[in-house]
Amino acid sequence: MSYFSDLGLAEPILRALDKKGYADPTPIQRQAIPALLEGRDLLGIAQTGTGKTAAFSLPSLHRLAQNPTGRYKRACRMLVLSPTRELAAQIADNMRGYARFLDLSVQCVFGGVPISKQIKNLVHGCDVMVATPGRLIDLVEQKALKLDHVEIFVLDEADQMMDLGFIKPLTRIANMLPKERQSLFFSATMPSEIAQLGQKFITNPVKVEVAPQSTTAERVDQFVTLIDQKEKQALLTLTLQKGLGSGEIESCLVFTRTKHGADKVVRHLVAAGIEAAAIHGNKTQAQRTRALDGFRAGRIPVLVATDIAARGIDVPGVSAVFNFELPNVPEQYVHRIGRTARAGRSGLAISFCAPDEKAYLRDIRRLTGVDPDPFPLPRDFVEMAARLPKPARKGTGAEHAEDAREGGTNRRQRGRNTKPRRNPDVKVEPAGRPRSERPAKGQGAGQGQRRRHRPGGKRNGRPPRNAVQNG
Ligand code: AMP
């Protein structure tokens, strides 16, 4: 048996961990599990990839199993809130794995899919419910779920919840929970407004911090290349052709700042013969699931994503992360590169920095204390770039056919008489679009400088602090 047995976890859980091949607890698991088994509240500051899902799941499942109350109708005993659908599904999958030898049921609900099946599944209640906030509130409003039997409450990725504008739904949910409960609050960063949010949920918590706040994920080799915005696509395509071809890169995530930018990158890669898919808030749930499944299964080696959609994604084999555009919030850089080098592996992060993104690079350097190494342009870059195929014009290709088949992402695609489908998990976006996808005031896309830029070269003028690049 593993060292997990030293932590006092029940035998069926140890057996499940054995099956998973986990030998030792990770640092956050070692710190959190004993306190959580005692029923303490917990404030966790943890980067992605640290094993925090198991850190909160294992002791919670242990406690639920030790106190078998049975299931309550239209209710759950443990509630886990996640900011994104993908992360919710991932947490639920992990928890099902840890609970496989226990008589505990795990259900997952999120928006973007019909609510009726979720309502039906909830009739007899469940032990663990993993949910995104919008859909959870919808279920409560439709009287399909009540929260007065929640014994354990977990709020995951609190900083992203704030970014997504979930503060009001969270406060509503907090008011519906029983006062007597165990609460766990996790965030990758802990600025003061997140700490204040935490105070609404937790009482006298044990504080667990596995990496100093905003420390860049260890084991990630970081590179940056200074390059003009309009040359980024060619550099990405050529780097991927070489990296995927040689096996140096097995699978990679490419981050763009906008949804439109993500689609554009995919079109270029596909035209150059590289299998790629985009994942962002404008895609239907079916498209997002298919892209992620294809990526996880290794059928699609390149996933192009916006920050919001990619947060929390755990794919063990991600060998590289490309920052096609630098994030304007430096903490986002830490989240992005945390997608690689997960669970003890090493990883590669390559950032493309346009002249008007230099201020972001400076912020990233200041926050992480890391100065990425220069990533050289390929030899004959200009000639090779000129030979790359151009994609078909937007809207003529498979992308739209796919939208039409699946009911589309907008009203026109679904048919004129169809009302826009309400999606509670994204409904906050128009009023408070995620910072990472929101153009800065007075800065439209495409205002970046267009001069060719070489590593170490000089640039003219200083860009506005919040300039947004053309995706
Ligand atoms: P998380 O930070 O929860 O997303 O976990 C990151 C990855 O680490 C996931 O793929 C987990 O399955 C894996 N993991 C979690 N705990 C352990 C452990 N004790 N030993 C090995 N892998 C683990």
Side-chain angles (χ1 to χ4, degrees):
M1 231 10 113
S2 70
Y3 290 106
F4 278 103
S5 48
D6 298 343
L7 298 174
L9 292 165
E11 188 279 332
I13 297 179
L14 297 179
R15 221 177 332 141
L17 293 173
D18 224 28
K19 281 257 181 261
K20 278 238 171 207
Y22 295 2
D24 288 320
T26 65
I28 192 170
Q29 291 161 3
R30 222 170 287 133
Q31 289 177 52
I33 290 173
L36 291 175
L37 285 172
E38 281 175 20
R40 294 281 305 270
D41 279 7
L42 182 127
L43 176 71
I45 305 176
Q47 278 178 273
T48 52
T50 53
K52 75 180 148 98
T53 313
F56 69 71
S57 302
L58 304 176
S60 303
L61 293 169
H62 174 103
R63 278 166 58 81
L64 294 177
Q66 297 283 301
N67 178 25
T69 59
R71 275 164 219 148
Y72 303 98
K73 284 199 164 162
R74 297 183 183 81
C76 60
R77 296 180 61 200
M78 175 175 182
L79 174 64
V80 182
L81 284 185
S82 141
T84 65
R85 303 161 187 180
E86 284 75 15
L87 182 57
Q90 189 174 286
I91 293 171
D93 264 4
N94 280 337
M95 291 193 79
R96 285 188 191 109
Y98 302 138
R100 60 193 287 186
F101 300 118
L102 295 168
D103 182 23
L104 294 173
S105 67
V106 179
Q107 283 199 29
C108 183
V109 296
F110 46 71
V113 292
I115 197 167
S116 50
K117 198 169 160 215
Q118 294 172 351
I119 292 177
K120 208 167 132 215
N121 288 343
L122 266 172
V123 169
H124 298 293
C126 62
D127 293 292
V128 179
M129 152 102 22
V130 187
T132 51
R135 180 53 60 96
L136 184 85
I137 286 185
D138 271 9
L139 287 165
V140 171
E141 281 175 350
Q142 297 200 23
K143 306 231 177 316
L145 176 71
K146 46 192 186 321
L147 300 181
D148 44 5
H149 288 291
V150 172
E151 298 162 42
I152 305 171
F153 171 66
V154 181
L155 181 61
D156 198 13
E157 304 271 0
D159 47 357
Q160 198 191 2
M161 292 274 195
M162 290 282 264
D163 282 351
L164 283 167
F166 278 134
I167 183 89
K168 273 198 183 140
L170 289 179
T171 309
R172 267 188 79 187
I173 292 167
N175 292 335
M176 289 188 256
L177 294 169
K179 295 266 168 298
E180 192 73 21
R181 60 165 202 262
Q182 183 181 24
S183 297
L184 288 64
F185 185 90
F186 288 92
S187 191
T189 54
M190 196 59 64
S192 61
E193 69 268 30
I194 305 287
Q196 273 168 24
L197 176 70
Q199 280 165 13
K200 288 198 171 117
F201 295 94
I202 41 182
T203 328
N204 186 24
V206 176
K207 196 171 164 194
V208 169
E209 187 167 357
V210 288
Q213 197 172 338
S214 306
T215 299
T216 307
E218 290 164 16
R219 299 183 309 277
V220 181
D221 293 327
Q222 296 170 60
F223 296 90
V224 66
T225 189
L226 300 172
I227 184 161
D228 227 42
Q229 181 67 25
K230 67 173 186 285
E231 292 179 322
K232 287 182 176 182
Q233 181 62 58
L235 180 61
L236 178 71
T237 306
L238 293 169
T239 308
L240 285 178
Q241 279 179 338
K242 184 164 171 264
L244 292 167
S246 66
E248 237 173 286
I249 295 173
E250 278 167 36
S251 67
C252 73
L253 271 167
V254 178
F255 284 95
T256 61
R257 194 123 32 86
T258 65
K259 301 168 193 174
H260 164 72
D263 288 336
K264 200 168 154 194
V265 168
V266 167
R267 283 197 298 276
H268 278 269
L269 292 178
V270 170
I274 298 170
E275 283 276 349
I279 178 168
H280 55 65
N282 280 358
K283 297 279 179 194
T284 61
Q285 189 55 41
Q287 286 171 330
R288 288 164 66 157
T289 305
R290 197 168 49 229
L292 198 50
D293 286 352
F295 186 59
R296 283 211 170 101
R299 290 190 301 275
I300 302 171
V302 184
L303 191 66
V304 187
T306 56
D307 290 303
I308 298 306
R311 179 71 92 83
I313 291 175
D314 174 40
V315 184
V318 175
S319 44
V321 166
F322 286 86
N323 291 305
F324 192 82
E325 274 130 10
L326 287 183
N328 49 3
V329 180
E331 284 82 4
Q332 208 62 257
Y333 176 84
V334 180
H335 296 317
R336 287 182 180 186
I337 71 165
R339 313 288 89 214
T340 184
R342 286 167 86 84
R345 292 178 178 81
S346 62
L348 177 69
I350 301 172
S351 300
F352 295 172
C353 178
D356 57 355
E357 291 174 302
K358 275 189 152 184
Y360 306 151
L361 183 60
R362 207 179 42 232
D363 288 350
I364 289 166
R365 283 187 176 129
R366 196 176 299 143
L367 180 82
T368 60
V370 173
D371 200 2
D373 292 327
F375 180 75
L377 292 180
R379 237 189 299 150
D380 306 327
F381 173 65
V382 176
E383 293 73 18
M384 284 176 12
R387 283 201 294 272
L388 285 173
K390 299 275 174 293
R393 259 186 46 231
K394 187 188 168 195
T396 57
E399 198 183 311
H400 266 206
E402 189 181 88
D403 279 348
R405 216 172 32 244
E406 290 184 344
T409 53
N410 63 33
R411 197 173 176 181
R412 181 178 53 76
Q413 288 162 345
R414 285 199 303 273
R416 277 175 198 289
N417 296 327
T418 328
K419 266 190 170 176
R421 216 180 303 155
R422 199 163 150 248
N423 180 349
D425 288 322
V426 296
K427 69 186 170 192
V428 289
E429 283 198 20
R433 265 164 75 201
R435 244 180 259 157
S436 54
E437 295 183 14
R438 201 187 296 157
K441 239 184 193 170
Q443 294 293 327
Q447 297 190 359
Q449 296 181 17
R450 291 285 173 266
R451 251 169 42 83
R452 170 121 166 70
H453 194 88
R454 290 180 189 286
K458 276 191 171 178
R459 72 179 165 84
N460 293 330
R462 188 162 293 278
R465 170 68 181 81
N466 285 324
V468 170
Q469 283 70 49
N470 191 3

